[in-house]
Amino acid sequence: MLRHEARLRAFLARAAGSDADDLAQEAFVRAWQRAGDYRGEGSYAAWVMGIGWRLFLDQRRTARRREGLAARDDAPRHVDPRPASDAAIDAARLLDQLSPQERAALTLCFGHGWSHGEAAEIMGLPLGTLKSLVLRGRAKAQKLIGEGTDA
């Protein structure tokens, strides 16, 4: 499981911000508890990433319920204490403007190198839905990039 730790934490940092470490830890505990549920279909790494993604979604639903808020995606993101390049800062700002599902789909496919099929498995979505999220997220990102250069 340790070889999957960095990938899971990086993915969850993009999705959940400062809660990423807690969610990753919980994902590994659940994976250990449910090790017998892994049937060997697909990669083990994707199975663990899927557990982390579902924990993030559950946490988000619970927070919304507690706060009584409508769907809001403006939660503060994790701030890396290391200095970032302008490109990294711009990419983070760009991703923050996408929906959590679009952000996760793009992060998994382009940031972490998962195939569309693996990303669909991780997110618990049909392949076509994942591909639509990727296309929509890319289109929004390209539009936002275009708007930024017009200024």
Side-chain angles (χ1 to χ4, degrees):
M1 271 201 244
L2 288 178
R3 69 179 180 201
H4 307 299
E5 180 180 3
R7 234 176 157 177
L8 178 62
R9 287 183 191 279
F11 169 64
L12 290 173
R14 181 63 64 201
S18 62
D19 293 331
D21 287 336
D22 292 338
L23 288 171
Q25 182 176 350
E26 180 64 22
F28 286 120
V29 168
R30 293 222 182 148
W32 182 78
Q33 291 171 335
R34 297 178 182 165
D37 293 346
Y38 177 64
R39 295 181 298 277
E41 298 169 4
S43 74
Y44 182 77
W47 183 70
V48 172
M49 295 282 282
I51 292 171
W53 174 249
R54 287 185 297 281
L55 285 169
F56 163 70
L57 292 177
D58 290 345
Q59 178 197 49
R60 214 169 115 227
R61 277 188 221 104
T62 300
R64 283 185 180 161
R65 225 177 282 127
R66 281 188 189 141
E67 295 171 5
L69 297 174
R72 281 185 45 178
D73 296 323
D74 59 356
R77 301 275 176 244
H78 173 71
V79 177
D80 194 333
R82 296 171 292 180
S85 69
D86 289 344
I89 292 169
D90 289 345
R93 285 185 193 141
L94 181 83
L95 287 170
D96 283 348
Q97 295 182 51
L98 302 177
S99 76
Q101 285 196 318
E102 291 164 345
R103 186 170 46 249
L106 291 178
T107 300
L108 288 169
C109 293
F110 299 114
H112 293 272
W114 293 97
S115 71
H116 285 94
E118 291 168 326
E121 180 184 337
I122 290 167
M123 294 179 69
L125 299 171
L127 180 59
T129 302
L130 184 277
K131 286 181 176 182
S132 293
L133 285 169
V134 169
L135 286 173
R136 192 169 48 241
R138 281 182 71 177
K140 283 183 183 178
Q142 288 171 341
K143 182 179 179 195
L144 291 167
I145 289 168
E147 290 173 359
T149 59
D150 293 341

